[in-house]
Structure formats: structure tokens, C-alpha cells
Amino acid sequence: MGIDIESTALIARHSVVDALLHKGEAVTSARDVARLWVAKEALLKATGDGLNIDLREIKLEVSGSRAIVKTWQPGHPVPDSTITFFELSDDVVGALALIRP
């Protein structure tokens, strides 16, 4: 299990988009950036990989309160996971990632 929580405003102040987005991902708002960030961070915590994997290698498909892993690091199988978003306030978003054995 992995969890990450971030402030949308804090993420918006930092230039994380270039280090975050897979070539097949697009964002339209600071909230979209924050949601992708927390989802990828939670996933990497759940897999135990931490920041050993380039976030740009991970492609997520976001739909409502869930995200699905579409692309993982080259040469490795996509983790069987569930990623769920939650909001703690208007400015704080989080994600919980669960990996199935």
C-alpha cells in the first residue's frame, strides 16, 4: 500500500510537469498535475520502487476518482493495482495505491 498527499498550490509553484508527464499524458490545471503527482508517488511507494523509476515512464489513465496504470517502466510488467483519489480540502489532494499480489 502507498499513499501520498499534496497541496495543489504547492505543486503549482514548482515546475514538476517536465519531470512528471508521460508523453501520452496531458493536464489542463494545477489540480490535474497534483492528482497525477500523488497517484504516481503513491504507486511507487506501494511497489517499493520509490523514486528509482522515472515518473515520465509511468502513464496513468485518470477517470473520476480512479487511475489505471497503462504504461510502466520498460521491460517490466504493469503492476496489478488500484489507485483511488481523495480530497482533504479544496487545496489538498491525495491518492491511495494498492498492489494485488
Side-chain angles (χ1 to χ4, degrees):
M1 174 176 24
I3 190 168
D4 196 57
I5 300 168
E6 297 290 343
S7 161
T8 302
L10 183 63
I11 291 288
R13 284 195 295 265
H14 296 10
S15 299
V16 300
V17 172
D18 291 338
L20 173 69
L21 292 183
H22 180 277
K23 62 185 174 200
E25 293 173 327
V27 292
T28 59
S29 69
R31 184 169 220 70
D32 289 348
V33 173
R35 284 169 50 103
L36 276 177
W37 182 269
V38 297
K40 290 183 180 188
E41 286 279 317
L43 178 64
L44 291 174
K45 290 174 183 177
T47 62
D49 290 301
L51 291 178
N52 293 320
I53 295 176
D54 186 340
L55 295 175
R56 296 170 296 184
E57 293 179 352
I58 304 167
K59 179 181 178 187
L60 299 181
E61 181 179 289
V62 176
S63 179
S65 65
R66 304 267 178 170
I68 299 168
V69 182
K70 292 300 201 175
T71 304
W72 188 242
Q73 63 179 334
H76 294 80
V78 173
D80 184 9
S81 61
T82 300
I83 304 170
T84 305
F85 296 106
F86 56 90
E87 297 184 16
L88 298 176
S89 71
D90 289 341
D91 181 50
V92 179
V93 297
L96 174 67
L98 301 172
I99 305 295
R100 290 183 267 306

